[in-house]
């Protein structure tokens, strides 16, 4: 397995394969690899050459986010990629990606203005910029993104379409623990009590799908149910007994629990087209996101 730290060396490797007519599948990551990342690698292996990247991109983290403590187990990550059958890994340094004087950014598409775009100002600008830079260094035929980061996948699809990047973007299903928790590099921050409460995200998404399948299509009703499950009744009634407050499992903060159009993430009053339910919230000090597609029934 080749390991490149310079964009030029990575591009030479990938361009050589492409010019021989081979398909190249690319999986960009921030490392701390788990089975979710490795499922993207499995999909990329359907191409003739599979390439991954590991780069903790500073421009997509806000000033009070977890950039400094983000896990970086590089040796273990390289071993996992090698065992999975990846041909090359691009592991640039911060200086290689953002050399002195760097000042060009990609304006994210409109689909990035809602949800995460509101909660994490500047996040998608960092994502679109780094993904375009990664695709310049690794001009793959196909690139694989997790639907776990649903809006990110849609933002990248739109950017690649808008800017004529010649890479096909493929969204891959979310990999979960057996109890439903979506795998995330940030799960390692959770205490055992946090982890128990983190299950609320996938449980709430399963419940909303069940309610939808049982016939409820009004998104205001469904969203209210989601919010009540995630925050408990404490928002609505302040006279709950102390005892009840202690036993009720809730998130510590909810950024959003929304049902929007799956295609363009615009709000829906009724689920009359393919939709997606998305949740973002904080448990302890950890911000988690999850989502579930609601296909037409
Ligand atoms: P990250 O390292 O968090 O930037 O993620 C790299 C890629 O892996 C992104 O396309 C993510 O959407 C994807 N990913 C992260 N977690 C999962 C998961 N549980 N299942 C599938 N893909 C995932």
């Amino acid at each position: 397995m080749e390991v490149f730290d310079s964009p030029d060396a990575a591009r030479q490797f990938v361009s050589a394969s492409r010019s021989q007519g081979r398909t190249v599948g690319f999986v960009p990551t921030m490392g701390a690899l788990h089975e979710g990342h490795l499922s993207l690698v499995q999909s990329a292996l359907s191409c003739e050459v599979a390439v991954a990247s590991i780069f903790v991109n500073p421009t997509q983290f806000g000033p009070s986010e977890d950039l400094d403590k983000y896990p970086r187990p590089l040796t273990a990550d390289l071993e996992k990629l090698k065992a999975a059958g990846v041909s090359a890994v691009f592991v640039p340094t911060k200086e290689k990606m953002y050399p002195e004087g760097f000042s060009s950014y990609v304006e994210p598409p409109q689909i990035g203005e809602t949800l995460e775009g509101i909660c994490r100002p500047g996040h998608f600008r960092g994502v679109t910029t780094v993904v375009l830079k990664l695709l310049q260094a690794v001009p793959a035929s196909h690139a694989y993104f997790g639907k776990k980061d649903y809006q990110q996948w849609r933002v990248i699809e739109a950017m690649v379409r808008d800017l004529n990047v010649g890479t096909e973007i493929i969204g891959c299903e979310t990999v979960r623990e057996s109890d439903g928790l979506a795998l995330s590099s940030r799960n390692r921050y959770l205490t055992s009590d946090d982890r128990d409460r983190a299950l609320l995200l996938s449980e709430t998404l399963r419940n909303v799908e069940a309610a939808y399948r049982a016939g409820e299509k009004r998104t205001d009703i469904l969203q209210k149910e989601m919010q009540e499950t995630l925050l408990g009744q404490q928002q609505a009634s302040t006279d709950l007994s102390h005892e009840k407050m202690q036993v009720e499992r809730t998130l510590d903060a909810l950024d959003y629990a929304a049902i929007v159009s799956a295609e363009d993430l615009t709000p829906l009053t009724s689920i009359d087209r393919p939709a997606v339910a998305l949740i973002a919230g904080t448990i302890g000090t950890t911000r988690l996101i999850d989502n579930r597609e609601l296909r037409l029934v």
Side-chain angles (χ1 to χ4, degrees):
M1 186 177 76
E2 306 268 3
V3 180
F4 302 112
D5 69 353
S6 96
D8 288 343
R11 190 167 41 240
Q12 264 175 28
F13 175 88
V14 175
S15 299
S17 296
R18 297 288 314 270
S19 64
Q20 289 159 12
R22 303 170 87 185
T23 52
V24 175
F26 179 38
V27 180
T29 80
M30 297 203 299
L33 301 181
H34 51 61
E35 289 300 321
H37 298 112
L38 296 177
S39 78
L40 303 186
V41 170
Q42 279 309 315
S43 299
L45 285 165
S46 64
C47 293
E48 287 156 286
V49 177
V51 177
S53 67
I54 299 174
F55 180 61
V56 182
N57 173 40
T59 65
Q60 71 189 68
F61 286 78
S64 59
E65 294 182 1
D66 57 345
L67 174 63
D68 291 339
K69 72 165 185 171
Y70 200 85
R72 291 166 169 86
L74 183 59
T75 310
D77 284 347
L78 292 175
E79 274 166 19
K80 287 177 189 174
L81 292 171
K82 190 173 177 189
V86 162
S87 300
V89 190
F90 178 41
V91 192
T93 58
K94 198 171 77 183
E95 291 69 29
K96 284 260 163 47
M97 289 297 268
Y98 297 108
E100 186 130 340
F102 177 91
S103 65
S104 305
Y105 290 86
V106 178
E107 175 79 8
Q110 199 175 7
I111 199 167
E113 284 170 13
T114 177
L115 302 167
E116 292 294 287
I118 295 168
C119 300
R120 302 181 70 187
H123 170 66
F124 283 131
R125 183 178 187 247
V127 168
T128 48
T129 302
V130 81
V131 171
L132 186 64
K133 286 172 66 66
L134 290 169
L135 288 171
Q136 297 288 345
V138 182
S141 53
H142 301 76
Y144 298 82
F145 290 85
K147 291 190 191 178
K148 156 77 167 47
D149 299 282
Y150 198 89
Q151 190 177 12
Q152 170 175 281
W153 165 50
R154 291 302 201 190
V155 161
I156 288 161
E157 260 188 349
M159 176 192 73
V160 160
R161 180 199 64 211
D162 292 351
L163 301 183
N164 304 111
V165 182
T167 300
E168 187 178 331
I169 302 301
I170 295 151
C172 302
E173 295 307 319
T174 301
V175 176
R176 299 175 179 281
E177 306 270 11
S178 56
D179 60 8
L181 182 67
L183 298 190
S184 164
S185 307
R186 292 186 167 101
N187 289 352
R188 67 185 69 193
Y189 303 148
L190 300 169
T191 64
S192 78
D193 170 68
D194 289 346
R195 196 196 173 289
D196 194 38
R197 293 190 293 142
L199 284 176
L200 274 170
L201 273 72
S202 54
E203 284 170 14
T204 304
L205 291 164
R206 272 203 305 271
N207 291 345
V208 81
E209 179 167 30
Y212 163 60
R213 288 189 177 277
E216 183 55 80
K217 294 196 168 51
R218 293 166 297 179
T219 54
D220 55 347
I221 307 279
L222 293 168
Q223 288 173 167
K224 188 156 181 287
E225 275 176 24
M226 289 166 74
Q227 282 156 14
E228 282 175 2
T229 318
L230 293 163
L231 291 176
Q233 303 300 318
Q234 78 212 54
Q235 300 272 314
S237 70
T238 49
D239 61 353
L240 286 172
S241 70
H242 184 58
E243 207 177 325
K244 172 124 191 277
M245 292 287 284
Q246 281 193 331
V247 294
E248 200 167 30
R249 271 190 321 163
T250 64
L251 302 192
D252 293 314
L254 179 64
D255 285 345
Y256 55 79
I259 297 173
V260 296
S261 157
E263 197 64 33
D264 58 12
L265 306 191
T266 51
L268 296 175
T269 45
S270 169
I271 303 179
D272 55 4
R273 68 200 75 178
V276 58
L278 303 114
I279 298 172
T282 306
I283 296 170
T285 54
T286 308
R287 185 173 185 276
L288 295 178
I289 58 173
D290 199 356
N291 67 80
R292 195 170 181 102
E293 287 177 306
L294 303 173
R295 300 199 168 84
L296 285 183
V297 287

